[in-house]
Amino acid sequence: MQASGPRMAALRLVGRVISNQEMQKTAKVVVTRLAEHAKVKKVLKKRKTYLVHDEADSRLPGDIVRIESCRPISKRKSFKIVEVLQEAPRFLDPVTNKMSTPFSELTRKKQR
């Protein structure tokens, strides 16, 4: 039986996909906001990264997406992608033979 109490509104944020390689059906999204310092009154950029559920597993780094809070899917994943606002330009990477974006190079792990 479900509780019939009032439900909280879902939190909706807009951010950029920065990685989608570590896990299946998961993308890492960074949300940037502007906040004013309390004493100095300087405007600062605050960033927070979220692990979001990507059912189609089709988002690539650089895509601008709208995310929305949902029930917890895993320990750190409680957001899902609602819509894609802007796709990053895509091309076929000749080295890996996979679809890639200009932002993919920034997220690739460095070889030691």
Side-chain angles (χ1 to χ4, degrees):
M1 190 162 137
Q2 281 186 327
S4 61
R7 296 182 81 180
M8 290 184 59
L11 180 63
R12 299 183 114 194
L13 303 167
V14 175
R16 179 183 300 270
V17 176
I18 56 172
S19 177
N20 67 342
Q21 298 171 351
E22 288 89 23
M23 297 156 277
Q24 297 173 354
K25 295 189 177 183
T26 302
K28 191 183 291 187
V29 175
V30 64
V31 175
T32 306
R33 63 183 180 88
L34 298 177
E36 188 177 78
H37 191 277
K39 289 185 179 180
V40 184
K41 303 296 184 197
K42 181 179 180 180
V43 177
L44 304 170
K45 274 188 181 180
K46 300 271 186 162
R47 289 186 292 270
K48 182 165 182 185
T49 58
Y50 295 92
L51 292 182
V52 299
H53 186 67
D54 179 15
E55 184 63 41
D57 206 15
S58 61
R59 297 297 102 218
L60 291 176
D63 291 348
I64 308 290
V65 294
R66 176 170 284 127
I67 61 175
E68 181 178 85
S69 63
C70 62
R71 63 174 180 78
I73 297 169
S74 68
K75 182 179 178 181
R76 292 185 53 211
K77 196 162 73 166
S78 59
F79 281 83
K80 62 183 176 182
I81 294 178
V82 177
E83 68 176 302
V84 179
L85 302 176
Q86 180 181 357
E87 282 191 348
R90 285 153 164 66
F91 61 90
L92 189 64
D93 189 3
V95 176
T96 61
N97 206 19
K98 293 182 180 178
M99 195 59 71
S100 186
T101 67
F103 297 95
S104 297
E105 195 63 38
L106 301 173
T107 62
R108 200 169 284 152
K109 294 190 176 179
K110 301 212 179 351
Q111 300 291 327
R112 293 184 187 214

